[in-house]
Coordinates of all heavy atoms in Angstrom, one line a residue:
M284 N 76.7 172.2 36.2 CA 76.2 171.0 35.7 C 75.3 170.3 36.7 O 74.3 169.8 36.3 CB 77.4 170.1 35.3 CG 77.1 168.7 34.8 SD 76.8 167.5 36.1 CE 78.4 167.2 36.7
E285 N 75.8 170.2 37.9 CA 74.9 169.6 38.9 C 73.6 170.3 39.1 O 72.6 169.6 39.2 CB 75.7 169.6 40.3 CG 76.9 168.6 40.2 CD 77.6 168.6 41.6 OE1 77.2 169.2 42.5 OE2 78.7 167.9 41.6
A286 N 73.6 171.6 39.1 CA 72.3 172.3 39.2 C 71.4 172.0 38.0 O 70.2 171.8 38.1 CB 72.5 173.8 39.2
A287 N 72.0 171.9 36.8 CA 71.2 171.6 35.6 C 70.7 170.2 35.7 O 69.5 169.9 35.4 CB 72.1 171.7 34.3
V288 N 71.5 169.2 36.1 CA 71.0 167.8 36.1 C 69.9 167.7 37.2 O 68.8 167.1 37.0 CB 72.2 166.9 36.4 CG1 71.7 165.5 36.8 CG2 73.1 166.8 35.2
K289 N 70.1 168.3 38.3 CA 69.1 168.2 39.4 C 67.8 168.9 39.0 O 66.7 168.5 39.5 CB 69.6 168.9 40.7 CG 70.7 168.0 41.4 CD 71.2 168.7 42.6 CE 72.4 167.9 43.2 NZ 73.1 168.6 44.2
N290 N 67.8 169.8 38.1 CA 66.6 170.5 37.7 C 66.2 170.1 36.3 O 65.3 170.8 35.7 CB 66.9 172.0 37.7 CG 66.9 172.5 39.1 OD1 65.9 172.6 39.8 ND2 68.2 172.8 39.6
H291 N 66.7 169.0 35.8 CA 66.2 168.3 34.5 C 66.3 169.3 33.3 O 65.4 169.3 32.5 CB 64.8 167.8 34.7 CG 64.7 166.9 35.9 ND1 65.2 165.7 36.0 CD2 64.0 167.2 37.1 CE1 64.9 165.2 37.2 NE2 64.2 166.1 37.9
V292 N 67.4 170.0 33.3 CA 67.6 170.9 32.1 C 67.9 170.1 30.9 O 68.9 169.3 30.9 CB 68.8 171.9 32.4 CG1 69.1 172.7 31.1 CG2 68.4 172.8 33.5
P293 N 67.1 170.2 29.8 CA 67.3 169.4 28.6 C 68.7 169.7 28.0 O 69.1 170.9 28.0 CB 66.2 169.8 27.7 CG 65.2 170.5 28.5 CD 65.9 171.1 29.7
G294 N 69.4 168.7 27.5 CA 70.6 168.9 26.8 C 71.9 168.8 27.7 O 73.0 168.9 27.2
I295 N 71.7 168.7 29.0 CA 72.9 168.5 29.9 C 72.8 167.0 30.3 O 72.2 166.7 31.3 CB 72.9 169.4 31.1 CG1 72.8 170.9 30.6 CG2 74.1 169.2 32.0 CD1 74.1 171.3 29.8
D296 N 73.5 166.1 29.6 CA 73.5 164.7 29.9 C 74.5 164.4 31.0 O 74.3 163.5 31.8 CB 73.8 163.9 28.7 CG 72.6 164.0 27.7 OD1 71.5 164.4 28.1 OD2 72.8 163.7 26.5
A297 N 75.7 165.1 31.0 CA 76.7 164.9 32.0 C 77.1 163.4 32.1 O 77.1 162.9 33.3 CB 76.3 165.5 33.3
E298 N 77.4 162.7 31.1 CA 77.6 161.3 31.1 C 78.8 160.8 31.9 O 78.8 159.8 32.5 CB 77.8 160.8 29.6 CG 76.5 160.8 28.9 CD 76.7 160.4 27.4 OE1 77.8 160.0 27.0 OE2 75.7 160.5 26.7
C299 N 79.8 161.7 32.1 CA 80.9 161.3 32.9 C 80.8 161.7 34.4 O 81.7 161.5 35.2 CB 82.2 161.9 32.3 SG 82.5 163.6 32.6
G300 N 79.7 162.4 34.7 CA 79.4 162.7 36.1 C 80.3 163.9 36.6 O 80.4 164.1 37.8
G301 N 80.8 164.7 35.7 CA 81.6 165.9 36.0 C 83.1 165.7 36.1 O 83.8 166.5 36.6
A302 N 83.6 164.6 35.4 CA 85.0 164.3 35.4 C 85.7 165.0 34.3 O 86.9 164.7 34.0 CB 85.2 162.8 35.3
C303 N 85.1 165.9 33.5 CA 85.7 166.6 32.4 C 86.2 165.5 31.3 O 87.3 165.6 30.8 CB 86.8 167.5 32.8 SG 87.3 168.7 31.6
A304 N 85.3 164.6 31.1 CA 85.7 163.5 30.2 C 84.7 163.1 29.2 O 84.7 162.0 28.6 CB 86.0 162.2 31.0
C305 N 83.6 164.0 28.9 CA 82.6 163.6 28.0 C 82.1 164.7 27.1 O 81.7 164.5 26.0 CB 81.4 162.9 28.7 SG 80.4 164.1 29.6
A306 N 82.1 165.9 27.5 CA 81.7 167.1 26.8 C 80.1 167.1 26.6 O 79.7 167.9 25.8 CB 82.4 167.3 25.5
T307 N 79.4 166.3 27.3 CA 77.9 166.3 27.2 C 77.3 167.3 28.1 O 76.1 167.3 28.3 CB 77.3 164.9 27.4 OG1 77.6 164.5 28.7 CG2 77.9 163.9 26.4
C308 N 78.1 168.2 28.7 CA 77.6 169.2 29.6 C 77.9 170.6 29.0 O 77.9 171.6 29.7 CB 78.1 169.1 31.0 SG 79.9 169.4 31.0
H309 N 78.2 170.6 27.7 CA 78.6 171.8 27.0 C 77.6 172.9 27.0 O 76.4 172.7 26.8 CB 78.9 171.4 25.5 CG 79.3 172.5 24.6 ND1 79.2 172.5 23.2 CD2 79.9 173.8 24.8 CE1 79.6 173.6 22.7 NE2 80.0 174.4 23.6
V310 N 78.0 174.1 27.4 CA 77.1 175.3 27.4 C 77.8 176.5 26.8 O 79.0 176.5 26.6 CB 76.7 175.6 28.8 CG1 75.8 174.5 29.5 CG2 77.9 176.0 29.7
Y311 N 77.0 177.5 26.4 CA 77.5 178.8 26.0 C 77.2 179.8 27.1 O 76.1 179.9 27.6 CB 76.8 179.2 24.7 CG 76.9 178.3 23.5 CD1 75.8 177.9 22.8 CD2 78.2 177.9 23.1 CE1 75.9 177.0 21.7 CE2 78.3 177.0 22.0 CZ 77.2 176.6 21.3 OH 77.3 175.8 20.3
V312 N 78.2 180.5 27.5 CA 78.1 181.5 28.5 C 77.6 182.8 27.9 O 78.3 183.3 26.9 CB 79.4 181.7 29.3 CG1 79.3 182.8 30.4 CG2 79.8 180.4 29.9
D313 N 76.6 183.4 28.4 CA 76.1 184.7 27.9 C 77.3 185.7 28.0 O 78.1 185.7 28.9 CB 75.0 185.2 28.8 CG 74.4 186.5 28.3 OD1 73.5 186.5 27.4 OD2 74.9 187.6 28.7
E314 N 77.4 186.6 26.9 CA 78.6 187.5 26.9 C 78.7 188.3 28.1 O 79.8 188.6 28.6 CB 78.4 188.4 25.6 CG 78.7 187.7 24.3 CD 80.1 187.1 24.2 OE1 81.1 187.8 24.7 OE2 80.2 186.0 23.8
A315 N 77.6 188.8 28.7 CA 77.7 189.6 29.9 C 78.3 188.9 31.1 O 78.7 189.6 32.0 CB 76.3 190.1 30.2
W316 N 78.4 187.6 31.1 CA 78.8 186.8 32.2 C 80.2 186.2 32.0 O 80.8 185.6 32.9 CB 77.8 185.7 32.5 CG 76.6 186.2 33.0 CD1 75.4 186.6 32.3 CD2 76.3 186.5 34.4 NE1 74.5 187.1 33.2 CE2 75.0 187.1 34.5 CE3 77.0 186.4 35.6 CZ2 74.4 187.4 35.7 CZ3 76.4 186.8 36.8 CH2 75.1 187.3 36.8
R317 N 80.8 186.3 30.8 CA 82.0 185.6 30.5 C 83.2 185.9 31.4 O 83.9 185.1 31.8 CB 82.4 185.8 29.0 CG 81.5 185.0 28.1 CD 82.0 185.0 26.7 NE 83.3 184.5 26.5 CZ 84.0 184.6 25.4 NH1 83.5 185.2 24.4 NH2 85.2 184.1 25.4
S318 N 83.3 187.2 31.7 CA 84.5 187.6 32.6 C 84.3 187.0 34.0 O 85.3 186.7 34.7 CB 84.6 189.1 32.6 OG 83.5 189.7 33.2
I319 N 83.1 186.9 34.4 CA 82.8 186.4 35.8 C 83.0 184.9 35.8 O 83.6 184.3 36.7 CB 81.4 186.8 36.3 CG1 81.3 188.3 36.4 CG2 81.0 186.1 37.6 CD1 79.9 188.9 36.6
V320 N 82.6 184.2 34.8 CA 82.7 182.7 34.7 C 84.1 182.3 34.5 O 84.6 181.4 35.0 CB 81.7 182.2 33.7 CG1 82.0 180.7 33.4 CG2 80.3 182.4 34.0
G321 N 84.8 183.1 33.7 CA 86.2 182.8 33.4 C 86.4 181.9 32.2 O 85.5 181.5 31.6
E322 N 87.7 181.6 31.9 CA 88.0 180.8 30.8 C 88.3 179.4 31.1 O 88.6 179.1 32.3 CB 89.3 181.4 30.1 CG 89.1 182.8 29.6 CD 88.1 183.0 28.5 OE1 88.1 182.1 27.6 OE2 87.4 183.9 28.5
P323 N 88.2 178.5 30.2 CA 88.4 177.1 30.5 C 89.9 176.8 30.8 O 90.8 177.4 30.2 CB 87.9 176.3 29.2 CG 87.9 177.4 28.1 CD 87.7 178.7 28.8
A324 N 90.1 175.9 31.6 CA 91.5 175.4 31.9 C 91.9 174.5 30.7 O 91.1 174.1 29.9 CB 91.5 174.6 33.2
P325 N 93.2 174.3 30.6 CA 93.7 173.5 29.4 C 93.1 172.1 29.3 O 92.7 171.7 28.2 CB 95.2 173.4 29.7 CG 95.6 174.6 30.5 CD 94.4 174.9 31.4
M326 N 92.8 171.4 30.4 CA 92.2 170.1 30.3 C 90.8 170.3 29.7 O 90.3 169.5 28.9 CB 92.1 169.4 31.6 CG 91.6 168.0 31.6 SD 91.8 167.1 33.1 CE 90.4 167.7 34.0
E327 N 90.1 171.3 30.1 CA 88.7 171.5 29.6 C 88.8 171.9 28.2 O 87.9 171.5 27.4 CB 88.0 172.6 30.5 CG 86.6 173.0 30.0 CD 86.0 174.1 30.8 OE1 86.5 174.4 31.9 OE2 85.0 174.6 30.4
E328 N 89.7 172.7 27.8 CA 89.9 173.1 26.4 C 90.1 171.8 25.5 O 89.5 171.7 24.4 CB 91.0 174.1 26.2 CG 90.7 175.5 26.6 CD 91.9 176.4 26.4 OE1 93.0 175.9 26.1 OE2 91.7 177.6 26.5
D329 N 90.9 170.9 26.0 CA 91.1 169.7 25.3 C 89.8 168.9 25.1 O 89.5 168.4 24.0 CB 92.1 168.8 26.0 CG 93.5 169.4 25.9 OD1 93.8 170.3 25.1 OD2 94.4 168.9 26.7
M330 N 89.0 168.8 26.1 CA 87.7 168.1 26.0 C 86.7 168.8 25.1 O 85.9 168.2 24.4 CB 87.2 167.9 27.4 CG 86.0 166.9 27.5 SD 86.2 165.4 26.6 CE 87.6 164.7 27.4
L331 N 86.8 170.1 25.1 CA 85.9 170.9 24.2 C 86.1 170.6 22.7 O 85.2 170.8 21.9 CB 86.0 172.4 24.5 CG 85.2 173.0 25.6 CD1 85.7 174.4 26.0 CD2 83.7 172.9 25.4
D332 N 87.3 170.0 22.4 CA 87.6 169.6 21.1 C 86.6 168.5 20.6 O 86.4 168.3 19.4 CB 89.0 169.1 20.9 CG 90.0 170.2 21.0 OD1 89.7 171.4 20.8 OD2 91.2 169.9 21.2
Y333 N 86.0 167.8 21.6 CA 85.1 166.7 21.2 C 83.6 167.2 21.2 O 82.7 166.4 20.9 CB 85.2 165.6 22.2 CG 86.6 165.0 22.2 CD1 87.6 165.4 23.0 CD2 86.9 164.0 21.2 CE1 88.9 164.8 22.9 CE2 88.1 163.4 21.1 CZ 89.1 163.8 22.0 OH 90.4 163.3 21.9
A334 N 83.4 168.5 21.6 CA 82.0 169.0 21.6 C 81.6 169.5 20.2 O 82.5 169.9 19.4 CB 81.9 170.1 22.6
F335 N 80.4 169.6 19.9 CA 79.9 170.1 18.6 C 79.6 171.6 18.8 O 79.1 172.0 19.9 CB 78.6 169.4 18.2 CG 78.8 168.0 17.8 CD1 78.5 166.9 18.7 CD2 79.4 167.6 16.6 CE1 78.8 165.6 18.4 CE2 79.6 166.3 16.2 CZ 79.3 165.3 17.1
G336 N 79.8 172.4 17.7 CA 79.4 173.8 17.7 C 80.1 174.6 18.8 O 79.6 175.6 19.3
V337 N 81.4 174.4 19.0 CA 82.2 175.1 20.0 C 82.3 176.6 19.5 O 82.6 176.9 18.3 CB 83.6 174.5 20.2 CG1 84.4 175.4 21.1 CG2 83.4 173.1 20.8
Q338 N 82.1 177.5 20.5 CA 82.2 178.9 20.2 C 83.2 179.5 21.3 O 83.5 178.9 22.2 CB 80.8 179.6 20.3 CG 79.8 179.1 19.3 CD 78.5 179.7 19.5 OE1 78.3 180.6 20.4 NE2 77.5 179.3 18.7
P339 N 83.6 180.8 21.1 CA 84.5 181.4 22.1 C 83.8 181.4 23.5 O 84.6 181.4 24.5 CB 84.7 182.8 21.6 CG 84.5 182.7 20.1 CD 83.4 181.6 19.9
S340 N 82.5 181.4 23.6 CA 81.9 181.4 24.9 C 81.6 180.0 25.4 O 80.9 179.9 26.5 CB 80.5 182.1 24.8 OG 79.6 181.4 23.9
S341 N 82.1 179.0 24.8 CA 81.8 177.6 25.2 C 82.6 177.3 26.5 O 83.7 177.7 26.7 CB 82.3 176.6 24.2 OG 81.5 176.6 23.0
R342 N 81.8 176.6 27.4 CA 82.4 176.0 28.6 C 81.8 174.6 28.8 O 80.7 174.4 28.3 CB 82.2 176.9 29.8 CG 82.9 178.2 29.9 CD 84.4 178.1 30.1 NE 84.8 177.2 31.1 CZ 85.0 177.6 32.4 NH1 84.9 178.8 32.7 NH2 85.4 176.7 33.3
L343 N 82.5 173.8 29.6 CA 81.9 172.6 30.1 C 81.3 172.9 31.4 O 82.0 173.3 32.3 CB 82.9 171.4 30.1 CG 83.5 171.0 28.8 CD1 84.5 169.9 29.0 CD2 82.4 170.6 27.8
S344 N 80.0 172.8 31.5 CA 79.3 173.3 32.7 C 79.8 172.6 34.0 O 79.8 173.2 35.1 CB 77.8 173.2 32.6 OG 77.4 171.9 32.4
C345 N 80.3 171.4 33.9 CA 80.8 170.7 35.1 C 82.1 171.3 35.6 O 82.5 171.1 36.8 CB 81.0 169.2 34.8 SG 82.4 168.8 33.7
Q346 N 82.7 172.2 34.8 CA 84.0 172.8 35.2 C 83.8 174.2 35.7 O 84.7 174.9 36.0 CB 85.0 172.8 34.1 CG 85.3 171.4 33.6 CD 85.8 170.5 34.7 OE1 86.9 170.8 35.3 NE2 85.1 169.4 35.0
I347 N 82.5 174.7 35.7 CA 82.2 176.0 36.2 C 82.0 175.9 37.7 O 81.0 175.3 38.1 CB 81.0 176.6 35.5 CG1 81.3 176.8 34.0 CG2 80.7 178.0 36.1 CD1 80.1 177.2 33.2
R348 N 82.8 176.6 38.5 CA 82.6 176.6 40.0 C 81.7 177.8 40.3 O 82.1 178.9 40.2 CB 83.9 176.7 40.7 CG 83.8 176.4 42.2 CD 85.2 176.4 42.8 NE 86.0 175.2 42.2 CZ 86.1 174.0 42.8 NH1 85.4 173.8 43.9 NH2 86.8 173.1 42.2
I349 N 80.5 177.5 40.7 CA 79.5 178.5 41.0 C 79.9 179.3 42.3 O 80.2 178.7 43.3 CB 78.1 177.9 41.2 CG1 77.7 177.2 39.9 CG2 77.1 178.9 41.5 CD1 77.5 178.1 38.7
T350 N 79.8 180.6 42.1 CA 80.0 181.5 43.3 C 78.8 182.4 43.4 O 78.0 182.5 42.5 CB 81.3 182.4 43.0 OG1 81.0 183.2 41.9 CG2 82.5 181.5 42.8
A351 N 78.8 183.1 44.5 CA 77.6 184.0 44.8 C 77.5 185.1 43.8 O 76.4 185.5 43.4 CB 77.8 184.6 46.2
E352 N 78.6 185.5 43.2 CA 78.5 186.6 42.2 C 78.0 186.1 40.9 O 77.7 186.9 40.0 CB 79.9 187.3 42.0 CG 80.9 186.4 41.3 CD 82.3 187.1 41.1 OE1 82.3 188.3 41.0 OE2 83.3 186.4 41.1
M353 N 77.7 184.8 40.7 CA 77.1 184.3 39.5 C 75.6 184.2 39.6 O 74.9 183.6 38.8 CB 77.7 182.9 39.2 CG 79.1 183.0 38.8 SD 79.7 181.3 38.3 CE 81.5 181.6 38.3
D354 N 75.0 184.7 40.7 CA 73.6 184.7 40.8 C 72.9 185.4 39.6 O 73.2 186.6 39.3 CB 73.2 185.5 42.1 CG 71.7 185.4 42.4 OD1 71.0 184.5 41.9 OD2 71.2 186.2 43.2
G355 N 72.1 184.7 38.9 CA 71.5 185.2 37.7 C 72.2 184.8 36.4 O 71.8 185.2 35.3
L356 N 73.2 184.0 36.5 CA 74.0 183.5 35.4 C 73.1 183.0 34.2 O 72.2 182.2 34.5 CB 75.0 182.4 35.8 CG 75.8 181.8 34.8 CD1 76.8 182.8 34.1 CD2 76.6 180.6 35.4
I357 N 73.5 183.4 33.0 CA 72.7 183.0 31.8 C 73.6 182.1 31.0 O 74.7 182.5 30.6 CB 72.3 184.2 31.0 CG1 71.3 185.1 31.8 CG2 71.6 183.7 29.7 CD1 71.0 186.4 31.2
L358 N 73.2 180.8 30.8 CA 73.9 179.9 30.0 C 72.9 179.3 29.0 O 71.7 179.2 29.3 CB 74.4 178.7 30.9 CG 75.3 179.0 32.0 CD1 75.5 177.8 32.9 CD2 76.6 179.6 31.5
K359 N 73.4 178.9 27.8 CA 72.5 178.3 26.8 C 73.1 177.0 26.4 O 74.3 176.9 26.4 CB 72.3 179.2 25.6 CG 71.6 180.5 26.0 CD 71.4 181.4 24.8 CE 70.6 182.6 25.2 NZ 70.7 183.7 24.3
T360 N 72.3 176.1 26.0 CA 72.8 174.8 25.6 C 72.8 174.8 24.0 O 72.0 175.5 23.4 CB 71.9 173.6 26.0 OG1 70.6 173.8 25.6 CG2 72.0 173.4 27.5
P361 N 73.8 174.2 23.4 CA 73.8 174.1 22.0 C 72.6 173.5 21.4 O 72.0 172.5 22.0 CB 75.1 173.3 21.7 CG 75.9 173.4 22.9 CD 75.0 173.5 24.0
D362 N 72.1 173.9 20.3 CA 70.9 173.3 19.6 C 71.0 171.8 19.5 O 70.0 171.1 19.8 CB 70.7 173.9 18.3 CG 70.2 175.4 18.3 OD1 69.8 175.8 19.4 OD2 70.3 176.1 17.3
R363 N 72.1 171.4 19.2 CA 72.3 169.9 19.0 C 72.1 169.1 20.2 O 71.7 167.9 20.2 CB 73.7 169.7 18.4 CG 73.9 168.2 17.9 CD 75.3 168.1 17.3 NE 75.5 166.7 16.9 CZ 75.9 166.3 15.8 NH1 76.1 167.2 14.8 NH2 76.1 165.1 15.5
Q364 N 72.3 169.7 21.4 CA 72.1 169.0 22.7 C 70.7 169.1 23.1 O 70.3 168.3 24.0 CB 73.0 169.6 23.7 CG 74.5 169.2 23.6 CD 75.4 170.0 24.6 OE1 76.5 170.3 24.2 NE2 74.9 170.1 25.8
G365 N 70.0 170.1 22.8 CA 68.6 170.4 23.3 C 67.6 169.4 22.7 O 66.8 168.9 23.3
Ligands
FES265 S1 79.9 166.1 32.7 FE1 81.3 165.1 31.4 S2 82.6 166.8 30.7 FE2 81.2 167.7 32.0

């Protein structure tokens, strides 16, 4: 989320500043990257209930902890956010 905001990625509003309290940083993780990115924690799953167009690959980008092995990570924003 921070990388998206700093680089003005459309559709990542991050209204709560990364507190897992708004769902305006919703992204879809490319299938090839899902196992590396991991699954949402229960609190994140609860907040995803407030996002539009949730899919199995949905994550809140503010809850993704970036690691070196995620170099090249592919995420997409939901159409409704873009
Ligand atoms: S920035 Fe608000 S939930 Fe991610």
Side-chain angles (χ1 to χ4, degrees):
M284 175 279 285
E285 290 180 3
V288 169
K289 287 177 184 170
N290 289 284
H291 310 288
V292 173
I295 303 295
D296 294 340
E298 291 176 3
C299 76
C303 196
C305 72
T307 61
C308 65
H309 179 201
V310 293
Y311 301 128
V312 178
D313 183 89
E314 285 301 317
W316 291 93
R317 284 186 62 191
S318 64
I319 295 170
V320 172
E322 298 298 319
M326 186 172 81
E327 181 182 345
E328 285 183 346
D329 289 346
M330 188 50 57
L331 278 167
D332 288 342
Y333 296 95
F335 293 100
V337 173
Q338 299 177 2
S340 64
S341 289
R342 291 291 312 267
L343 296 178
S344 58
C345 70
Q346 301 303 301
I347 299 173
R348 191 172 297 267
I349 298 296
T350 64
E352 67 178 334
M353 292 182 195
D354 187 17
L356 175 63
I357 298 171
L358 304 173
K359 294 182 178 161
T360 55
D362 289 341
R363 189 175 176 129
Q364 287 174 218

